[in-house]
Amino acid sequence: MSTATKGTVYLVGAGPGDPKLLTLRGKELLEQADCVIYDRLANEVILEWAPQAKLFYAGKRAGNHALIQEDINRLLVEQAKLGRIVVRLKGGDPCVFGRIGEELTALNAENIPYEIVPGVTAGIAGSAYAGIPVTHRHVSSSVTFITGREALNSQSQGTLVTEGTLVIYMGMKTMEDMVAKLREAGRKDDTPTAVVEWATHPKQRTVTGTLATIAAICAKEDIGSPSIIIVGEVVRLNKNFAWFGENLP
Ligand code: SAH
């Protein structure tokens, strides 16, 4: 095991949920951490690898005010300056829609050393666990990760009409508008579309349909968050390759 350094911040990807999808590097750092600052989506079972660490919860929880980003930045700086081994645990990969830029900027400003430990992002893990390779020869040779908000933004129409696979994060609340936008942008009504809820968790559910039908299917099956939405021809492969969780309809 390589030793972690005091006064350093380790920004660690927790993976999408299944604790075994955390990297070996992530686990060895948790085992040495003096403190762990973690978000909601990180599976809390992972924290059992850091029984010695002081835990700080930085995510949102009902009835409880979330730490705002500046508070998190301040906490990271403060704990590192106390000479602690600091693990900043983030769901999925810390660099994918994880607001890591703000935290790195704050650390740079105080000359605090850091290491980024990648994690398995939900868009990759969720697709794989639903038996949907995000690229497939002769079917799709590119994949785009976007947020629901971005998909709604008309500036990004170029992205939306891409031939390749689209993987949408944080898109459930705006699903209907987003689907309308994709159709408007030229994506065909019958484009295969899947939604993977609680990917890699034992309660994972996958629904498949088309751009025209997916919103109604999600409403009927009561699919909520966290979920990723996958749009493109590769979704058809789910019929042959599904291997995990519940597959509807
Ligand atoms: N950094 C994270 C993403 C954070 S944004 C990563 O790399 O995965 C939060 C969004 O990620 C959620 O709204 C959802 O779209 C997606 N997500 C995270 N965990 C998920 C899971 N287990 N199953 C499905 N989607 C998930």
Side-chain angles (χ1 to χ4, degrees):
M1 169 155 70
S2 42
T3 327
T5 311
K6 296 266 175 204
T8 297
V9 175
Y10 296 90
L11 301 114
V12 176
D18 181 341
K20 294 217 173 157
L21 294 176
L22 177 82
T23 61
L24 295 174
R25 180 64 176 150
K27 183 166 179 273
E28 78 175 7
L29 288 168
L30 281 166
E31 286 165 352
Q32 299 173 69
D34 295 313
C35 73
V36 178
I37 302 165
Y38 67 103
D39 286 336
R40 179 166 55 112
L41 279 175
N43 188 331
E44 295 191 10
V45 171
I46 285 170
L47 298 172
E48 289 172 15
W49 283 315
Q52 76 293 347
K54 188 169 158 70
L55 303 179
F56 295 93
Y57 177 67
K60 287 187 199 125
R61 195 171 270 162
N64 198 351
H65 283 291
L67 285 184
I68 57 167
Q69 190 63 50
E70 286 96 87
D71 293 334
I72 299 172
N73 299 348
R74 219 172 338 214
L75 184 62
L76 287 171
V77 167
E78 172 202 290
Q79 292 295 311
K81 282 190 170 170
L82 288 170
R84 306 215 163 114
I85 295 168
V86 183
V87 168
R88 172 74 175 108
L89 191 62
K90 287 169 170 285
D93 182 280
C95 298
V96 179
F97 308 131
R99 301 191 68 174
I100 199 177
E102 283 99 319
E103 296 177 18
L104 297 180
T105 303
L107 296 174
N108 278 347
E110 300 285 340
N111 280 320
I112 292 168
Y114 51 79
E115 174 180 326
I116 303 175
V117 183
V120 185
T121 189
I124 295 288
S127 305
Y129 269 58
I132 302 171
V134 286
T135 66
H136 188 67
R137 224 145 68 94
H138 309 309
V139 177
S140 172
S141 58
S142 70
V143 53
T144 306
F145 296 121
I146 56 172
T147 64
R149 184 189 299 253
E150 189 64 23
L152 273 176
N153 180 348
S154 55
Q155 306 302 318
S156 52
Q157 286 227 349
T159 312
L160 302 187
V161 293
T162 161
E163 290 287 293
T165 309
L166 271 187
V167 178
I168 305 166
Y169 291 64
M170 297 179 273
M172 292 311 283
K173 285 209 188 89
T174 53
M175 173 105 145
E176 274 187 48
D177 293 345
M178 218 167 54
V179 165
K181 197 93 197 179
L182 286 167
R183 294 161 81 181
E184 224 174 84
R187 285 257 173 168
K188 293 200 193 78
D189 282 0
D190 63 357
T191 308
T193 304
V195 177
V196 190
E197 180 196 52
W198 284 108
T200 80
H201 288 255
K203 61 180 169 186
Q204 173 180 313
R205 294 194 295 165
T206 304
V207 293
T208 47
T210 65
L211 268 188
T213 62
I214 198 71
I217 294 171
C218 285
K220 178 168 169 276
E221 302 293 349
D222 197 22
I223 301 287
S225 290
S227 289
I228 52 149
I229 305 165
I230 310 162
V231 181
E233 293 300 320
V234 289
V235 167
R236 290 187 205 281
L237 299 166
N238 157 272
K239 289 281 169 278
N240 299 330
F241 300 152
W243 63 276
F244 186 81
E246 200 182 343
N247 291 275
L248 304 160

